[in-house]
Amino acid sequence: MINGDFFTFLKPKNELEGEQSAPQEKDDSRPYIPETMWVKCPTCKTLLLASDLEENHKVCVKCGHHLRLSARERIALLCDRDTFEEANGEMQSQNLLGFPEYDRKLQSCKLKSGENESVITGVAEIGGIRTVFAAMDPGFMMGSMGHVVGEKITSAFERATEERLPVILFCCSGGARMQEGIISLMQMAKTSAAAKRHSEAGLLYVPVLTDPTTGGVTASFAMLGDIILAEPGALIGFAGPRVIEQTIGEKLPEGFQRAQFQLEHGFVDAIVERKDLKMTLYRILKMHQKTEGYANFDPLRSDDCYEPTEVMKERATKAQPLSAWEKVRAARRADRLASVDYIDNIFDDFMEFHGDRQFADDPAIVGGVAYLDGQPVTVIGIHKGKDLKDCMRHNYGMPSPEGYRKALRLMKQAEKFNRPIITFVNTSGAFCGKEAEERGQGEAIARNLYEMSAIKVPILCLMIGEGGSGGALALSVGNEVWMLENATYSVLSPEGFASILWKDGKRAKEASEVMKITAHDLYALNIVEQVIPEYGTADEKACESISRYMKGHMKEFLERQNGKTGEQLAEERYARFRAF
């Protein structure tokens, strides 16, 4: 049902106030539609049929603007039919501080919205997976959080913790409820504490940020999810735009605090259109169902072929061995297979996540969750780019501090949900720039080395191109490290080595021969456990065969880790690096 609060309805107008218009001749060729059935989109101002808008889940068909939904509409849209069981629906706010007119305001909102409060909580199924589900209602005091909202959300987390269920929470709020003063403020701490206990129990929490999510809700449970989603165009922030403009005395730029802004600044994992929300939530829930061990492969895939194609076998026999310098050049080729190529070919249903939750999303690092023949894994890759424009967007595969922090966030998330971690490394090194130093590049790399050493799930690292110094090592503290046969891995580039030791960067070719940077050199030094064949060169033609080889051996690696405790895995990793 269309709610008049969310739309601008057009009323018939006479030419003169209080005067009846002259009768118009009826046009039988056009269907009669009462003007109250039209809705004006608040963004593009297009007139839309209310019935069409309803059918499109209140998304403008012209500009894609997502209009607000009530909590009941969220439940109907996202929960499996007849599975939602409401909890604490009878709870109602009290005027604890004796605030003037608050009782009248509450009563007015109840009549207007048909709800007792601005959040509905309960348990439901999404795609057959049972979850605690909550949705805030903008039609009740703009979803503001008072003591009953805090209580219902806290109780929802507590029930989820007790019954070991995930939590899906649709946030839509102007923030803390001013009429409840300090009591409202305390709800921020209360709900955050409940979310923390739920997380420490190893359970999944996915908040979905809708328009608007601001104030005390943003500064508490809304931003504490394992995976944070947002609807397109949603206003998301702590202080409202008007407050910021008044404080700083200047106009904010277009799009400030909107969902895309938050994605680019590292605070949102993904922006999901309303039509895709249910499937996205189902995929996330399914990926996070509890499993035992690290090799839960689909038995129907047990006979898959991991052999190279006949064409690649023939090409491999004709390939000539490369010198160290030729391998340096091969590793740097722009047409060399990238991490995203292997991710696309090896894994199923890859879902990319964004952001370091502190500053930005670094496009140089791609990461998310996928299936390896049915086994959920966390996959992280350094991506240089495919062409000049793409390379510039990905900073030529030179990660910034926020990239390493994003990778670490995803690795810690993998540890929480007992998922193996697989990394693909191809970088000339960490980004050396003024901004990177200001944001703590050295600390970010050090933190990854520190944390990866003790992560209690298997970590497999693959050098697929350049392995440049600490920037590469920051994603390579694995239980095993593998290298493509023409990849390199070194303390710094041959050019840098020659410049520092010999004061002559032109001797880079000579330096590459003495640095021991090739896969076969490092295999002999026990730096890497396996050399992966390239069947001539790692180009598009070889992608299928190299991916097959990797996939088969990845599955063998995970089967070897089955039965090991987290402590064993961390101890083996420690011993591996302790030996150098």
Side-chain angles (χ1 to χ4, degrees):
M1 180 176 177
I2 298 293
N3 188 326
D5 283 351
F6 304 152
F7 305 91
T8 302
F9 289 90
L10 302 181
K11 297 180 180 178
K13 287 185 179 179
N14 293 329
E15 290 181 14
L16 298 173
E17 186 67 30
E19 199 173 294
Q20 190 169 352
S21 300
Q24 300 291 318
E25 195 173 317
K26 186 175 179 180
D27 182 0
D28 292 328
S29 66
R30 297 172 64 185
Y32 171 69
I33 302 173
E35 290 193 46
T36 52
M37 295 299 290
W38 292 101
V39 178
K40 183 189 283 187
C41 172
T43 298
C44 69
K45 311 304 180 186
T46 300
L47 291 179
L48 306 164
L49 270 175
S51 56
D52 290 347
L53 196 61
E54 192 81 24
E55 222 173 277
N56 203 39
H57 311 306
K58 292 188 180 175
V59 177
C60 176
V61 295
K62 295 293 184 183
C63 70
H65 176 75
H66 284 52
L67 294 98
R68 293 168 188 158
L69 295 179
S70 70
R72 298 287 174 191
E73 287 171 322
R74 292 278 181 199
I75 292 165
L77 177 65
L78 295 158
C79 300
D80 295 351
R81 187 184 294 275
D82 299 327
T83 63
F84 183 74
E85 303 165 7
E86 188 171 352
N88 300 316
E90 74 291 344
M91 293 180 69
Q92 301 183 44
S93 288
Q94 306 297 316
N95 192 353
L96 301 176
L97 303 183
F99 194 90
E101 299 296 312
Y102 185 34
D103 291 311
R104 186 186 62 78
K105 180 71 172 175
L106 287 170
Q107 190 59 30
S108 171
C109 287
K110 289 174 190 175
L111 292 172
K112 194 175 177 182
S113 68
E115 305 297 344
N116 283 331
E117 251 303 343
S118 63
V119 69
I120 297 174
T121 62
V123 175
E125 291 181 9
I126 296 177
I129 301 174
R130 189 169 165 83
T131 180
V132 166
F133 188 95
M136 305 188 79
D137 198 320
F140 194 109
M141 296 187 73
M142 191 43 75
S144 60
M145 179 166 64
H147 68 282
V148 168
V149 172
E151 186 62 31
K152 291 179 77 171
I153 288 173
T154 299
S155 296
F157 275 112
E158 289 173 345
R159 178 176 182 181
T161 304
E162 184 180 340
E163 298 184 22
R164 300 201 60 77
L165 294 174
V167 173
I168 306 292
L169 204 166
F170 277 78
C171 304
C172 183
S173 177
R177 189 170 296 175
M178 295 298 98
Q179 294 89 337
E180 296 192 17
I182 194 72
I183 303 300
S184 175
L185 186 68
M186 294 301 105
Q187 306 312 307
M188 294 168 61
K190 183 168 80 175
T191 54
S192 298
K196 173 69 171 174
R197 290 191 171 195
H198 181 260
S199 179
E200 288 186 338
L203 300 168
L204 175 71
Y205 168 39
V206 183
V208 184
L209 312 183
T210 71
D211 185 55
T213 300
T214 58
V217 168
T218 300
S220 58
F221 60 85
M223 301 302 287
L224 298 175
D226 297 294
I227 298 164
I228 301 178
L229 306 179
E231 283 195 328
L235 177 68
I236 304 162
F238 177 54
R242 189 172 55 193
V243 173
I244 298 171
E245 287 179 341
Q246 289 172 350
T247 302
I248 65 176
E250 61 183 72
K251 187 80 174 167
L252 293 172
E254 187 73 24
F256 186 80
Q257 290 185 304
R258 295 290 171 177
Q260 187 63 37
F261 172 92
Q262 299 294 356
L263 182 76
E264 292 168 359
H265 285 79
F267 296 104
V268 167
D269 279 289
I271 297 172
V272 184
E273 292 189 18
R274 195 168 286 166
K275 64 183 175 61
D276 300 321
L277 265 174
K278 183 167 184 176
M279 180 53 70
T280 300
L281 290 171
Y282 167 72
R283 289 172 62 198
I284 291 171
L285 289 170
K286 188 170 184 290
M287 280 180 166
H288 290 82
Q289 288 185 299
K290 187 172 175 58
T291 57
E292 297 295 333
Y294 308 109
N296 298 284
F297 304 122
D298 183 350
L300 297 177
R301 306 290 294 273
S302 59
D303 293 330
D304 283 4
C305 175
Y306 301 119
E307 291 294 313
T309 64
E310 291 303 318
V311 172
M312 287 300 105
K313 286 180 181 177
E314 184 178 349
R315 194 171 84 164
T317 60
K318 295 178 180 179
Q320 297 297 313
L322 303 182
S323 68
W325 181 243
E326 288 171 332
K327 290 184 178 183
V328 169
R329 297 180 66 184
R332 294 173 177 175
R333 284 178 62 98
D335 62 351
R336 189 173 178 82
L337 291 172
S339 58
V340 293
D341 298 315
Y342 296 118
I343 290 171
D344 287 345
N345 277 273
I346 296 170
F347 305 100
D348 302 313
D349 207 17
F350 175 67
M351 185 178 291
E352 184 178 358
F353 298 138
H354 297 269
D356 67 343
R357 296 290 192 273
Q358 296 181 46
F359 178 78
D361 179 58
D362 183 1
I365 289 188
V366 176
V369 184
Y371 292 104
L372 179 63
D373 280 358
Q375 168 65 49
V377 293
T378 288
V379 185
I380 301 166
I382 301 178
H383 184 40
K384 287 186 174 183
K386 292 289 194 176
D387 52 41
L388 180 58
K389 188 176 179 181
D390 199 33
C391 286
M392 290 175 67
R393 190 174 93 77
H394 293 280
N395 200 29
Y396 299 88
M398 295 182 289
S400 295
E402 51 269 24
Y404 291 116
R405 289 171 182 142
K406 172 171 72 172
L408 182 58
R409 179 176 75 84
L410 295 175
M411 287 188 275
K412 296 298 286 185
Q413 186 186 99
E415 182 180 37
K416 174 180 174 179
F417 296 110
N418 201 42
R419 278 196 301 267
I421 299 165
I422 299 174
T423 69
F424 295 87
V425 179
N426 182 14
T427 180
S428 59
F431 180 52
C432 297
K434 178 174 173 286
E435 305 92 337
E437 291 301 314
E438 289 172 343
R439 296 196 293 272
Q441 185 71 288
E443 190 280 338
I445 293 171
R447 184 65 53 184
N448 276 29
L449 305 181
Y450 177 84
E451 295 288 353
M452 287 182 75
S453 70
I455 283 178
K456 293 180 173 60
V457 294
I459 303 177
L460 174 62
C461 308
L462 293 89
M463 293 287 167
I464 59 171
E466 288 186 277
S469 194
L473 182 62
L475 288 184
S476 304
V477 183
N479 292 84
E480 290 189 16
V481 178
W482 303 349
M483 282 182 74
L484 282 169
E485 64 175 306
N486 294 327
T488 61
Y489 189 12
S490 59
V491 67
L492 78 170
S493 68
E495 292 87 347
F497 183 94
S499 294
I500 290 172
L501 287 188
W502 301 330
K503 312 298 187 223
D504 184 1
K506 294 179 181 178
R507 295 175 66 183
K509 180 178 179 181
E510 182 184 349
S512 68
E513 301 294 339
V514 301
M515 288 174 69
K516 305 296 182 187
I517 61 176
T518 70
H520 292 95
D521 289 333
L522 299 180
Y523 180 78
L525 292 169
N526 295 319
I527 302 294
V528 301
E529 278 77 12
Q530 192 168 149
V531 177
I532 301 168
E534 293 189 15
Y535 309 106
T537 184
D539 58 11
E540 192 175 338
K541 293 178 182 177
C543 186
E544 181 185 355
S545 293
I546 297 174
S547 297
R548 283 183 185 180
Y549 184 96
M550 287 180 175
K551 186 173 186 176
H553 286 78
M554 284 175 184
K555 291 174 72 172
E556 291 175 5
F557 167 79
L558 292 180
E559 284 168 349
R560 293 197 298 273
Q561 313 314 309
N562 249 352
K564 294 180 181 178
T565 66
E567 288 72 20
Q568 279 180 285
L569 290 163
E571 183 59 37
E572 287 178 6
R573 200 177 309 119
Y574 181 83
R576 182 185 186 278
F577 286 89
R578 181 68 178 83
F580 297 130

